Amino acid sequence: MDELEKFGTAVAAWAAGGAGAPAAAAAAREAAGGVRTVVLVEGDSDRVALDTLAGRHGRDLGAEGVAVVPLGGATNIGRFLDVCGPGGLGLPLAGLCDAGEERHFRRHLERVGLGAGGAGGAVAAAVAGGGPGRGPGTGPGLEALGFHVCVADLEDELIRALGADGVLQVIGAQGESRPFLTFQGQPAQRGRPVEHQLRRFMGTHSGRKALYARALVAHLDPGRVPRPLERLLAHV
């Protein structure tokens, strides 16, 4: 396990709390010296997608000191901000979240002093004001903090970027055309748009989201990279 992996493991244990938290905090502080930026993402598939895209650009995020840390679910963002943010390790932060979790992320970013008050006040105002065609709490405000928002989730972004036919080609290359056809035949899936079926299919087995995060990003045309993923990589 390299230093950034040790850091991510320690941060997760510290954020989880419990009897092991003090030892995990000490381990995280020890490993933090090699960390330039912490990227907080909802799940492991987001981490895989960002690492894969970085590799396509000839970048090694780990070697650059960018620790991509899965939260294990968006509801854990507050704990990880407490650990990694101004009141904890004080490291530069960035992240990726789903549109449904955006307000939750914004609320906790403001709570720890990012985007609310002081220099962050302008960012908070921008977030609260939204932007053209966007509701409150969306748009450039979070991006100014390094946090980028997927329209529904990363799978939805990748499916729209590749198109259904392109995703079906990737599924075929993974040897999963038959399982997908079986999935399409389930009563709950009949009559639903193929894009919806594809998105649901990716979440049916443990590890499948990460498998397709890597495969879909590897298959993307360089000009079709989803904006949140592209902007996050550019930010870090």
Side-chain angles (χ1 to χ4, degrees), residues 6-99:
K6 290 179 183 177
F7 173 80
T9 299
V11 161
W14 184 7
R29 290 191 178 98
E30 183 178 352
V35 178
R36 176 171 62 81
T37 303
V38 178
V39 181
L40 300 174
V41 297
E42 292 193 29
D44 195 54
S45 60
D46 304 306
R47 178 190 62 78
V48 169
L50 186 62
D51 280 341
T52 303
L53 183 61
R56 289 192 61 178
H57 286 267
R59 295 180 60 183
D60 181 339
L61 295 182
E64 295 176 17
V66 178
V68 186
V69 180
L71 301 172
T75 56
N76 295 323
I77 182 63
R79 295 179 181 181
F80 279 82
L81 288 175
D82 288 339
V83 165
C84 297
L89 296 171
L91 291 166
L93 300 173
L96 189 71
C97 70
D98 300 343

